[in-house]
Amino acid sequence: MNFNKTGAVANSFRTAIKVLWMGSLAGALFSFLAASALAQQAAETSEPALQEIIVTGSRIAAPNEQSTSPIQVLSSQYIETSGKSDVGDLLAQLPQNFFNAQGQDLGNATSALSTPGGVATADLRGLGPNRTLVLVDGRRLGQGSPNTAIQSPAPDLDQIPAGLVERVEVVTGGASAAYGSDAIAGVVNFILKKNFQGFQVDGEYGGYLHDNGDTGVQALVRQFNTVPATGTDFDGRKGNLDMLMGTNFDDNNGNITAFFGYRHQTAVPSSARDYGGC
């Protein structure tokens, strides 16, 4: 009898342990499934499925994306790395811009022997500067010379300070439908800097280093009782200083920008060269 009771108690104890183990296993399985469901719900809530990609644009100006005609852009980085401090010299780098030989100058550095000088113009495709429209921030730039004898009156690019230019947009052809006959050759639009803040100083100094060592030419010059130039000359000195300053006011609702530029270049006479002494 005692053995049977002891066996019954042992069986009951094993049954209780089995029930507890099954209950613990079921609880652990339920907890795992619940945790997995919560993790999946959290992932779906925090990372929704990608349905649409919207391109908001770029900080790099790309007018060709919205233009019907190809536009060549000279950025401020290009202007800085080119070392050109004159607006006319910048346009002279473009293959579609021609030197104007119709009674006015193309730049400040050209010889006054062939042109009157003092007026820098844009002449796209060689059709004449009066067929190239010059804009500043989308507005027409007025005539640069009051001389009525000029065959092709055009804006003077020297009115535009290179230090204020943010970029230059050039349209070669295809703009006369929008701007008229002034833009048959194309349009040059100078975009100036906006909302400039701070103080910026740019300077440049240079010249020409020439060695007058052509003995053959010097002998010919002496035959005309003229003393030829000899030795090494450093002339044609050119210097410029540009200062740009600006600040915002009225909680950035307004801006004032000031620009100062000084430019000086000395002449190079023919007598300073041995080959031009006569």
Side-chain angles (χ1 to χ4, degrees):
M1 292 294 291
N2 293 335
F3 177 78
N4 293 334
K5 289 182 178 181
T6 302
V9 171
N11 291 333
S12 300
F13 181 74
R14 285 194 294 269
T15 302
I17 292 177
K18 185 176 182 181
V19 171
L20 290 176
W21 182 80
M22 293 295 294
S24 301
L25 182 60
L29 182 59
F30 178 79
S31 300
F32 176 77
L33 294 177
S36 300
L38 291 175
Q40 183 178 2
Q41 183 179 2
E44 292 176 356
T45 304
S46 59
E47 297 180 2
L50 184 62
Q51 298 179 355
E52 184 179 5
I53 299 177
I54 300 177
V55 180
T56 59
S58 172
R59 295 178 64 88
I60 303 176
N64 284 317
E65 299 295 336
Q66 301 178 353
S67 175
T68 57
S69 300
I71 298 178
Q72 183 173 3
V73 179
L74 304 180
S75 62
S76 57
Q77 289 82 4
Y78 171 82
I79 297 175
E80 182 178 354
T81 56
S82 67
K84 304 296 182 181
S85 58
D86 188 271
V87 175
D89 294 339
L90 287 175
L91 293 184
Q93 306 300 311
L94 301 177
Q96 61 265 42
N97 191 66
F98 284 69
F99 285 95
N100 176 28
Q102 300 187 21
Q104 52 189 353
D105 215 348
L106 184 69
N108 294 322
T110 52
S111 175
L113 297 177
S114 58
T115 55
V119 178
T121 61
D123 186 4
L124 298 178
R125 293 186 174 181
L127 298 180
N130 59 330
R131 293 292 180 255
T132 299
L133 181 62
V134 178
L135 305 176
V136 177
D137 289 333
R139 299 182 178 181
R140 294 174 182 256
L141 185 64
Q143 301 296 331
S145 175
N147 186 2
T148 58
I150 295 179
Q151 301 177 8
S152 302
D156 186 7
L157 301 182
D158 289 334
Q159 303 177 70
I160 307 172
L164 280 177
V165 177
E166 177 66 24
R167 67 181 186 274
V168 184
E169 299 177 353
V170 181
V171 181
T172 307
S176 59
Y179 296 102
S181 60
D182 292 346
I184 290 179
V187 179
V188 180
N189 187 16
F190 293 89
I191 307 298
L192 304 183
K193 295 179 179 179
K194 306 292 191 308
N195 299 326
F196 179 83
Q197 294 189 77
F199 182 77
Q200 177 179 323
V201 178
D202 295 326
E204 181 184 10
Y205 182 79
Y208 299 100
L209 184 62
H210 178 72
D211 182 18
N212 294 300
D214 193 336
T215 56
V217 172
Q218 294 176 5
L220 293 176
V221 173
R222 291 190 181 96
Q223 294 180 5
F224 294 91
N225 297 324
T226 303
V227 180
T230 58
T232 302
D233 289 337
F234 181 72
D235 50 16
R237 296 175 179 86
K238 181 180 67 173
N240 64 278
L241 177 65
D242 296 333
M243 291 189 298
L244 179 62
M245 60 198 76
T247 182
N248 291 341
F249 60 91
D250 192 18
D251 293 334
N252 296 329
N253 292 323
N255 176 271
I256 181 171
T257 302
F259 177 83
F260 170 80
Y262 174 78
R263 193 178 313 274
H264 178 73
Q265 182 173 0
T266 58
V268 181
S270 298
S271 59
R273 301 290 184 263
D274 50 7
Y275 54 80
C278 59

